[in-house]
């Protein structure tokens, strides 16, 4: 941690002193990108360029909660159809329904959810039809 700026010393002199001392200690040696051109220098950028760049470097993604819940509902329905017992189907549907109800109660800005809770009995009927041994 750096020391506090001494009273009476202007900021420029204090900063110059810190940079000089760090250079003497070798703290700027072998920095990543040293001697390379600055990426994207001279390109036109919008105001969110740095956010996208940070997300790319950190390997982050963002999906709007509405889209994420729609996808989770699709996955939950597929998992329910692949479940091995009625109890598992009920548990899967109950969990996704809880998330859907919560999202409906607390709407957010952005795209509409366009989801209603699943009808557990209807899902179970479909599951039974798929899992009935047919001759």
């Amino acid at each position: 941690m750096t020391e506090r700026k001494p009273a009476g010393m202007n900021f420029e002199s204090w900063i110059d002193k810190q940079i000089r001392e760090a250079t003497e200690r070798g703290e700027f040696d072998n920095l990543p990108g040293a001697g390379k051109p600055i990426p994207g220098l001279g390109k036109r950028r919008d105001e969110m360029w740095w956010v996208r760049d940070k997300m790319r470097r950190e390997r982050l993604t963002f999906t709007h909660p509405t889209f994420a819940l729609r996808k989770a509902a699709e996955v939950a329905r597929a998992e329910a159809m692949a479940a091995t017992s009625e109890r598992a189907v009920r548990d899967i549907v109950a969990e996704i329904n809880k998330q859907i109800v919560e999202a409906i109660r607390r709407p957010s800005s952005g795209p509409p959810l366009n989801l209603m809770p699943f009808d557990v009995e209807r899902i179970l009927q479909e599951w039974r039809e798929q899992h009935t041994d047919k001759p």
Side-chain angles (χ1 to χ4, degrees):
M1 181 172 190
T2 61
E3 75 264 9
R4 296 180 65 94
K5 179 184 85 60
M9 180 181 241
N10 68 38
F11 277 102
E12 187 174 352
S13 299
W14 181 60
I15 292 169
D16 288 338
K17 178 180 177 252
Q18 287 184 335
I19 292 171
R20 181 181 46 75
E21 289 173 352
T23 302
E24 289 169 359
R25 289 190 302 269
E27 292 182 20
F28 297 121
D29 296 346
N30 303 318
L31 291 175
K36 297 178 184 172
I38 298 172
L41 191 63
K43 289 184 182 177
R44 290 176 53 119
R45 298 179 186 227
D46 63 47
E47 60 191 31
M48 296 298 286
W49 71 269
W50 64 274
V51 174
R52 281 190 297 281
D53 187 55
K54 175 72 172 171
M55 290 179 73
R56 180 188 53 75
R57 281 180 290 148
E58 299 290 328
R59 294 187 179 137
L60 301 173
T61 59
F62 174 77
T63 302
H64 193 279
T66 295
F67 296 139
L69 185 53
R70 285 185 199 170
K71 180 64 177 173
E74 287 177 27
V75 169
R77 191 173 200 299
E79 288 175 354
M81 291 297 116
T84 57
S85 70
E86 288 191 18
R87 177 80 263 152
V89 173
R90 287 183 186 279
D91 291 345
I92 292 166
V93 173
E95 178 58 34
I96 195 63
N97 279 350
K98 187 168 83 174
Q99 294 175 35
I100 292 170
V101 167
E102 182 62 29
I104 291 170
R105 285 186 183 150
R106 290 196 284 152
S108 65
S109 62
L113 182 59
N114 295 338
L115 275 179
M116 293 299 291
F118 289 109
D119 180 344
V120 177
E121 294 307 317
R122 186 168 155 233
I123 298 289
L124 273 170
Q125 182 60 38
E126 290 177 35
W127 180 85
R128 287 181 192 120
E129 290 169 4
Q130 275 189 357
H131 290 81
T132 301
D133 293 328
K134 297 179 182 173

